[in-house]
């Protein structure tokens, strides 16, 4: 995934990973369970988009939009980032992410200089004044300072972590029955 992803590798580095590693280690084929856990992560990401907050519940910084544009944060026109989420399951991991290139920048934030290629732009408002008819202008290549605040959407909330441990335990109990 070229955009951004969140991987739970089940290496036991954190308490949740340690518990899940123990549960998954008892399974001959853990992939069906890992797929279920990936669905929980995808649902949690949807909750982050809906609530406009990080997995920890911290609200995202607001976006400055033109007057009358009431879209939610990170809900493009047309929406691209959220619907692009997908999961990949392997023998010992589940990876949930996106191939949208700008996802990492939105999730992690970015401050620095960026290059802008020459391009054409159609303008209908200039310096706050609406033009009688739109006009096409050529914008030269240039560099600019950018400051995109992090709006973390990838990750697992504490509630989803608890759900994952419960589901994994239930899954193993069902396998044993």
């Amino acid at each position: 995934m070229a955009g951004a992803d969140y991987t739970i590798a089940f290496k036991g580095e954190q308490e949740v990973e340690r518990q899940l590693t123990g549960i998954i280690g008892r399974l001959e084929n853990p992939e069906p369970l890992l797929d279920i856990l990936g669905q929980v992560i995808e649902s949690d990401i949807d909750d982050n988009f809906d609530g406009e907050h990080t997995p920890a519940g911290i609200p995202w910084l607001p976006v400055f939009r033109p007057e009358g544009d009431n879209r939610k944060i990170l809900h493009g026109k047309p929406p691209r980032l959220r619907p692009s989420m997908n999961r990949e399951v392997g023998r010992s991991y589940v990876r949930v992410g996106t191939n949208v290139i700008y996802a990492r920048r939105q999730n992690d934030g970015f401050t620095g200089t960026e290059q802008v290629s020459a391009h054409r732009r159609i303008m209908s408002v200039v310096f706050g004044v609406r033009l009688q008819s739109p006009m096409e202008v050529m914008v030269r290549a240039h560099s600019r300072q950018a400051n995109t605040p992090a709006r973390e959407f990838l990750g697992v909330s504490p509630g989803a972590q608890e759900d994952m441990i419960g589901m994994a335990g239930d899954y193993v109990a069902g396998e044993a029955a």
Side-chain angles (χ1 to χ4, degrees):
M1 292 177 208
D5 61 31
Y6 182 81
T7 302
I8 296 181
F10 302 111
K11 297 176 186 169
E13 296 169 354
Q14 295 179 351
E15 182 61 20
V16 171
E17 290 178 8
R18 188 188 64 71
Q19 289 181 34
L20 288 171
T21 300
I23 293 168
I24 289 168
R26 292 183 239 156
L27 298 173
E28 189 172 311
N29 178 12
E31 290 185 33
L33 172 58
L34 292 170
D35 190 50
I36 292 168
L37 298 180
Q39 292 173 33
V40 172
I41 295 169
E42 285 180 321
S43 176
D44 208 41
I45 290 170
D46 279 343
D47 290 345
N48 296 335
F49 277 101
D50 286 341
E52 299 182 322
H53 56 70
T54 68
I58 300 167
W60 293 337
L61 291 176
V63 173
F64 299 102
R65 297 198 190 272
E67 193 172 317
D69 186 344
N70 298 324
R71 284 177 291 147
K72 294 180 104 178
I73 299 170
L74 296 184
H75 288 70
K77 228 192 302 186
R80 181 169 175 217
L81 183 56
R82 182 179 184 174
S84 73
M85 293 295 145
N86 59 68
R87 71 181 169 280
E88 176 185 330
V89 177
R91 183 116 179 103
S92 63
Y93 70 91
V94 58
R95 178 180 297 129
V96 178
T98 175
N99 62 355
V100 173
I101 298 298
Y102 62 82
R104 184 174 308 278
R105 180 177 183 148
Q106 293 296 335
N107 192 72
D108 301 343
F110 173 80
T111 300
T113 303
E114 63 185 357
Q115 300 301 315
V116 178
S117 302
H119 61 279
R120 296 188 189 285
R121 170 173 287 170
I122 296 179
M123 300 180 73
S124 56
V125 177
V126 178
F127 302 112
V129 177
R130 182 159 300 282
L131 301 174
Q132 281 185 313
S133 61
M135 62 185 281
E136 185 175 339
V137 296
M138 182 66 187
V139 179
R140 293 182 183 164
H142 60 282
S143 62
R144 67 179 176 195
Q145 284 299 115
N147 182 18
T148 304
R151 293 184 176 94
E152 184 183 359
F153 53 89
L154 294 173
V156 182
S157 69
Q161 290 176 15
E162 290 176 21
D163 290 347
M164 290 168 73
I165 291 169
M167 289 176 159
D170 292 346
Y171 183 88
V172 170
E175 286 278 306

